[in-house]
Amino acid sequence: MPRKPAAIPEEQANEIEEIEPELNDKKDEIENLNRLLAAVLDYLSDDEVEVIDIEYLLENTEGLREWWNQYRERNRKKIEQEITKALGDLSIEELENLREKIKGNDKE
């Protein structure tokens, strides 16, 4: 004889309700990324395009510039860590030269 399905405890039901919007957000994000990727690949595969113009892609693909800026900002910490690690390998002369270049940029 088949068993009667067990009722989902209220606590688990609440957890499921909290997870569902997150899943929908992820699906929306995946759909958006698929759209962006398709637009870029369409552009790259166009035989009439002789020179790839990244600025054109960013300007004419809705949402691509915003995504690119967000991606760069998320990777900021990684870049900072790479630079910090690389600084430890430089000689004192190289560090002083780098400091002068940075000071020169600050004056501009």
Side-chain angles (χ1 to χ4, degrees):
M1 185 167 226
R3 289 186 182 183
K4 182 178 176 182
I8 298 174
E10 187 176 330
E11 193 174 296
Q12 284 182 333
N14 290 339
E15 288 176 10
I16 291 171
E17 288 175 6
E18 291 174 9
I19 293 173
E20 285 179 2
E22 291 176 21
L23 291 175
N24 289 335
D25 289 346
K26 292 291 182 186
K27 286 180 183 179
D28 291 344
E29 183 179 355
I30 290 169
E31 287 176 17
N32 187 46
L33 289 173
N34 282 335
R35 182 186 59 77
L36 293 174
L37 179 59
V40 170
L41 290 175
D42 282 343
Y43 174 79
L44 293 175
S45 64
D46 187 348
D47 291 336
E48 294 179 13
V49 175
E50 294 180 16
V51 177
I52 296 171
D53 184 354
I54 300 297
E55 190 60 34
Y56 174 85
L57 269 172
L58 292 172
E59 286 293 320
N60 294 293
T61 305
E62 182 183 340
L64 185 59
R65 183 176 301 280
E66 292 81 15
W67 174 86
W68 179 240
N69 289 338
Q70 290 171 3
Y71 175 82
R72 289 174 61 206
E73 193 57 41
R74 283 192 308 265
N75 287 312
R76 178 184 184 97
K77 290 287 184 200
K78 181 180 176 186
I79 293 169
E80 289 173 356
Q81 290 171 349
E82 289 174 1
I83 291 170
T84 302
K85 182 181 175 192
L87 290 174
D89 296 336
L90 297 177
S91 68
I92 189 68
E93 292 84 13
E94 291 170 319
L95 288 171
E96 289 171 345
N97 287 335
L98 184 57
R99 181 174 61 185
E100 289 302 316
K101 288 180 184 178
I102 292 170
K103 283 183 179 181
N105 288 340
D106 288 345
K107 292 177 184 176
E108 295 175 1

